[in-house]
Amino acid sequence: MVRVVIAGDGPLAAALADWYHQAGANVTELSFNRELEPQALAVAGGIDLLVVADSFEPEPGSVHSIDRDALGASLFRLTFLPFRVAALLQPELVAVNGRAVLLSRSDARMDLPDGVGRYLERPFRSASHALWRCLSIEWRDAGVSVGLIAAGSGATPSIAALTDAIGNRDESRFPLEFTDTSGSILGW
Amino acid sequence: MKRSSILIAGASRGIGREFVRQFLAAGWQVHATARSAADIAALSQAGAIAYALDISSDASIAALADKLDGIALDAVIANAGISGDLELPIEAVAAGEMELVFDTNLFGVLLLVRALKTSLMAGERRLAMAMSSLMSSISANDWGTQYCYSASKTALNAAWRSLADEWRTDGIGCVLLRPGFVKTDMTGHRGMEVEVSVAGMIEVVGTLKLADSGRVIGYDGLDVPW
């Protein structure tokens, strides 16, 4: 039976967990709470697929509306936790040549204008994209495939299209690129 | 003729200190910050108007903004930055280490420039600048490593792009500079001479227009790809 771990909170994570469960996978859900580390460390037996699908979405606003605490909270949720959960689960991914996929948003791209002030989101998603690019490079020799997919921005994505994209282990793209659900490469 | 004025934050040594020296030599009025009393005294002795600043402290940033109230700045270079532990393996990167690096390299830099907006608006050139790195480039990265440092600089690129969009209507240009691989404490004194890098960046600064806002530009005049 295929072993799938869905990490993160929100409707997207729940929908993906349900989809993989219906498809017959052995699904483990990891919430981004204080139990994350012990629960991640308790996962054993190999992981075929890790999907980080958190729905944290801070409010945009002027640079004058942000403070250090809000910046720190976004760093923790959007950058640190996805990287951390992948790091914790790396031995189980290596054990079965698994795949780790981070779901992000297309409007996190730096090559697009930011008309609303995404100071609490875009820097931290971009940082996360940078870190997952590092993972794709450093874990390749260990047999772990790494993906980064724009799950949409605002509208609920098609789960069928998303799971197709998640499962597409296209090794010709190395290092990691940021793609949409059709497989088209997006800018950074 | 009115002298151009600039504030260099993080000017106690390395690239920041060399910015002070070269801008003074070029006839600019230079405001400069450092953390220790000895470094502040050294900057004053060199001819800068020196202030204390700890960029990781909101109170320190506010105090500096108060001291600069009513003073026009043509440009600000938020040069403060730390590397963190560049040797940490992936599994050893803890939340505290990541926050420490981001707190200086992103949070402090962004909040400092925000606090100095009034002074920039009173200046003529209106340039809000900070220091990026080739390590910030996701597309150029085919080597991995240096997780917290490189991610913090990527985040800075993204934040500056947003700031450029927000402040464009105020006529403030928001540009990041890439010094290249320079002989400093941070690089173990390997790389090019700091004088060369800083001279290149000052040449870039001299050419900047509002249309350049949002760019990340190297000491060599070349853009850093996202």
Side-chain angles (χ1 to χ4, degrees):
Chain A
M1 182 183 284
V2 174
R3 179 70 179 275
V4 176
V5 174
I6 307 292
D9 297 299
L12 182 56
L16 285 168
D18 186 54
W19 190 93
Y20 284 108
H21 181 72
Q22 295 290 333
N26 174 2
V27 180
T28 300
E29 296 175 68
L30 296 177
S31 182
F32 276 179
N33 58 31
R34 64 179 55 192
E35 298 303 312
L36 175 65
E37 295 227 0
Q39 287 180 354
L41 289 169
V43 175
I47 298 169
D48 297 287
L49 177 62
L50 163 67
V51 183
V52 180
D54 192 44
S55 296
F56 183 68
E57 196 175 322
E59 286 292 317
S62 163
V63 69
H64 297 282
S65 70
I66 61 175
D67 59 32
R68 212 178 279 264
D69 287 344
L71 289 164
S74 285
L75 171 66
F76 188 69
R77 188 70 180 253
L78 290 172
T79 308
F80 178 73
L81 287 181
F83 186 65
R84 183 62 177 160
V85 75
L88 291 169
L89 296 176
Q90 188 260 5
E92 300 304 321
L93 290 162
V94 169
V96 293
N97 290 344
R99 176 162 165 80
V101 177
L102 173 65
L103 301 185
S104 187
R105 292 167 56 99
S106 59
D107 58 13
R109 293 164 53 186
M110 292 177 282
D111 61 333
L112 298 176
D114 176 10
V116 294
R118 299 189 192 280
Y119 296 97
L120 297 179
E121 181 173 7
R122 200 147 82 159
F124 305 104
R125 289 198 190 277
S126 294
S128 211
H129 297 175
L131 290 170
W132 282 67
R133 174 112 164 176
C134 287
L135 296 183
S136 80
I137 295 162
E138 302 206 16
W139 289 359
R140 189 188 202 199
D141 289 347
V144 177
S145 161
V146 176
L148 173 62
I149 299 167
S153 292
T156 305
S158 157
I159 295 298
L162 198 50
T163 51
D164 275 353
I166 289 168
N168 180 14
R169 192 169 176 148
D170 183 355
E171 303 296 342
S172 66
R173 288 177 181 159
F174 178 81
L176 175 76
E177 295 286 355
F178 186 27
T179 62
D180 63 18
T181 52
S182 73
S184 299
I185 295 176
L186 306 172
W188 290 110
Chain B
M1 186 175 164
K2 184 175 170 293
R3 293 168 76 195
S4 296
S5 60
I6 189 166
L7 178 114
I8 313 290
S12 59
R13 61 184 189 277
I15 291 167
R17 188 70 179 79
E18 183 62 17
F19 266 129
V20 171
R21 190 186 72 78
Q22 292 198 24
F23 273 115
L24 283 169
W28 288 55
Q29 181 184 61
V30 177
H31 303 259
T33 78
R35 287 201 294 186
S36 77
D39 288 333
I40 293 165
L43 287 169
S44 293
Q45 195 164 20
I49 305 164
Y51 310 86
L53 174 66
D54 174 359
I55 204 164
S56 66
S57 160
D58 290 345
S60 182
I61 289 173
L64 176 67
D66 280 348
K67 286 176 185 161
L68 289 166
D69 188 33
I71 296 174
L73 293 173
D74 288 290
V76 170
I77 298 180
N79 172 63
I82 61 173
S83 63
D85 184 345
L86 299 175
E87 306 297 325
L88 278 180
I90 291 168
E91 66 275 13
V93 174
E97 168 75 9
M98 189 175 280
E99 183 162 5
L100 182 73
V101 175
F102 274 70
D103 194 48
T104 294
N105 293 1
L106 174 63
F107 306 172
V109 166
L110 184 61
L111 297 176
L112 172 66
V113 168
R114 179 183 77 175
L116 299 179
K117 185 182 180 187
T118 303
S119 290
L120 280 169
M121 290 296 290
E124 290 180 3
R125 297 210 50 203
R126 298 183 180 177
L127 293 172
M129 296 173 286
M131 305 303 287
S132 190
S133 162
L134 183 60
M135 293 298 295
S136 73
S137 173
I138 306 174
S139 61
N141 185 352
D142 59 5
W143 55 80
T145 74
Q146 304 189 12
Y147 314 106
C148 294
Y149 177 74
S150 64
S152 75
K153 292 296 185 180
T154 303
L156 180 67
N157 290 358
W160 232 248
R161 178 69 205 274
S162 295
L163 192 65
D165 289 340
E166 183 175 339
W167 283 4
R168 187 168 286 113
T169 53
D170 296 312
I172 299 176
C174 302
V175 172
L176 292 172
L177 301 171
R178 175 178 77 88
F181 195 62
V182 179
K183 284 181 185 173
T184 63
D185 292 346
M186 198 183 280
T187 64
H189 296 277
R190 292 170 294 152
M192 80 177 97
E193 299 296 334
V194 67
E195 293 87 348
V196 175
S197 167
V198 169
M201 289 189 283
I202 289 177
E203 192 173 333
V204 168
V205 171
T207 68
L208 291 177
K209 297 181 171 56
L210 188 57
D212 297 307
S213 196
R215 292 175 62 191
V216 184
I217 309 173
Y219 70 98
D220 50 9
L222 300 176
D223 282 72
V224 176
W226 301 120

